[in-house]
């Protein structure tokens, strides 16, 4: 009997500020993922080792959302021989790829992080206090200009509860982790893109005003030939994540997960 090849394990990199609740809210019940702990004291080597320790057989499928994308691509470059494919949703691309600040929610904070990292760290401490004591208020501030399907999401009680809890558990407890990732993000990390040599699929809302479509287009062009860019007409930021996890490709991952558990599901187009 021929040896059985282990099916890919899914590794999910949440947005910032954010947390595992994003996955639990949007992902189908049958779709499990390993979600690395990205606290302030975790280095790239720590994250890579964490994945190796918890996903010890077979290849990996990387799924990354928003500001989880820079970390995910750096980890993928480190674990290159194990990566089967990568899915990027509402990706935060390197700022060096274009002029993306105009009309970009959070753009002012990214500028501060670039020019005055100390002032940015102080700002994140204030955001951390809001996240800890008044997470719903912080959410309302962040979603004040919600566009596309994110507008309806921002009024959904279950989504609001999920985001508020994510802010409280993440940014409310560990501002330095968020600040460190943003400061690393605004630096030039374009060199990591040339180390990605597996198929990449990008899911981008056309009405996204957090990570604008121009970012996804520039990232797709820079990553090279093995990239498929899916533009989603009515989606914005979080709604793109929901759309991806309800898509055919996500359903295929569900089928693979079921098969790994001993089921007989087959993914058909």
């Amino acid at each position: 009997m021929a040896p059985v090849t282990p099916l890919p394990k899914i590794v999910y990199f949440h947005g910032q500020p954010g947390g595992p609740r994003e996955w639990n809210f949007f992902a189908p019940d049958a779709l499990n993922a390993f979600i690395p702990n990205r606290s302030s004291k975790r280095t790239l080597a720590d994250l890579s080792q964490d994945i190796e320790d918890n996903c010890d057989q077979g290849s990996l499928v990387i799924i990354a959302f928003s500001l989880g994308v820079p970390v995910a691509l750096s980890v993928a470059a480190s674990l290159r021989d194990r990566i089967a494919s990568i899915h990027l949703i509402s990706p935060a691309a390197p700022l060096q790829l274009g002029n993306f600040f105009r009309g970009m929610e959070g753009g002012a904070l990214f500028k501060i992080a670039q020019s005055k990292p100390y002032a940015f760290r102080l700002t994140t401490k204030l955001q951390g206090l809001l996240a800890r004591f008044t997470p719903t208020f912080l959410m309302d501030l962040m979603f004040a200009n919600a566009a596309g399907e994110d507008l309806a999401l921002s009024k959904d009680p279950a989504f609001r509860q999920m985001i508020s809890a994510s802010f409280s558990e993440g940014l409310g407890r560990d501002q330095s982790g968020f600040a460190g990732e943003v400061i690393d993000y605004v630096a030039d990390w374009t060199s990591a893109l040339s180390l990605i040599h597996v198929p990449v699929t990008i899911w981008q809302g056309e009405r996204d005003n957090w990570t604008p479509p121009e970012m996804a287009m520039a990232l797709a062009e820079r990553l090279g030939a093995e990239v498929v860019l899916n533009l989603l007409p009515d989606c914005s930021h979080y709604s793109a994540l929901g759309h991806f996890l309800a898509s055919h490709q996500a359903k295929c991952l569900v089928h693979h997960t079921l098969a790994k558990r001993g089921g007989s599901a087959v993914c058909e187009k």
Side-chain angles (χ1 to χ4, degrees):
M1 180 180 294
V4 177
T5 301
L7 291 163
K9 174 76 174 182
I10 299 169
V11 182
Y12 177 66
F13 291 82
H14 60 75
Q16 285 283 25
R21 287 177 180 267
E22 296 168 1
W23 182 268
N24 298 333
F25 183 83
F26 286 110
D29 291 339
L31 190 57
N32 293 327
F34 175 67
I35 304 176
N37 175 9
R38 285 155 49 203
S39 65
S40 59
K41 297 181 180 179
R42 308 300 300 285
T43 65
L44 177 60
D46 291 333
L47 292 175
S48 298
Q49 189 60 53
D50 197 14
I51 293 169
E52 293 278 23
D53 291 342
N54 287 275
C55 309
D56 56 357
Q57 291 185 342
S59 55
L60 304 172
V61 173
I62 299 291
I63 300 176
F65 172 62
S66 190
L67 275 169
V69 167
V71 182
L73 290 179
S74 295
V75 169
S78 174
L79 300 176
R80 66 179 75 182
D81 293 336
R82 293 199 58 189
I83 309 302
S85 62
I86 300 173
H87 297 272
L88 307 178
I89 303 96
S90 309
L95 295 174
Q96 292 74 23
L97 297 184
N99 183 11
F100 306 119
F101 285 132
R102 184 175 181 180
M104 177 183 178
E105 293 293 313
L109 283 177
F110 289 147
K111 286 183 178 180
I112 293 173
Q114 278 185 320
S115 60
K116 299 177 180 178
Y118 180 75
F120 176 74
R121 288 186 183 276
L122 289 178
T123 301
T124 60
K125 288 185 180 296
L126 174 59
Q127 290 178 319
L129 290 174
L130 293 176
R132 183 176 181 181
F133 296 108
T134 58
T136 302
F137 176 69
L138 178 61
M139 180 199 163
D140 288 337
L141 286 177
M142 293 185 66
F143 283 84
N145 296 316
E149 293 179 6
D150 275 29
L151 181 58
L153 271 178
S154 69
K155 298 176 181 179
D156 177 73
F159 179 79
R160 291 176 61 83
Q161 183 180 21
M162 181 273 289
I163 291 294
S164 296
S166 292
F167 287 175
S168 178
E169 294 166 357
L171 183 60
R173 296 179 181 176
D174 183 20
Q175 299 89 52
S176 58
F178 168 69
E181 285 198 8
V182 171
I183 290 171
D184 287 343
Y185 165 66
V186 300
D188 190 352
W189 54 280
T190 53
S191 59
L193 304 182
S194 63
L195 302 177
I196 304 301
H197 301 294
V198 297
V200 177
T201 305
I202 298 175
W203 303 77
Q204 173 65 46
E206 289 187 348
R207 300 188 63 185
D208 195 335
N209 56 353
W210 291 21
T211 54
E214 292 78 13
M215 265 193 171
M217 295 174 186
L219 182 61
E221 183 176 349
R222 186 62 176 266
L223 281 169
E226 286 192 286
V227 178
V228 175
L229 173 59
N230 296 299
L231 293 175
L232 310 173
D234 297 319
C235 291
S236 182
H237 201 65
Y238 282 89
S239 46
L241 178 61
H243 185 96
F244 163 69
L245 287 171
S247 71
H248 175 77
Q249 285 182 271
K251 290 176 182 177
C252 287
L253 295 175
V254 170
H255 292 157
H256 288 319
T257 301
L258 291 174
K260 189 171 185 178
R261 293 175 181 172
S264 58
V266 176
C267 184
E268 296 178 353
K269 292 189 177 182

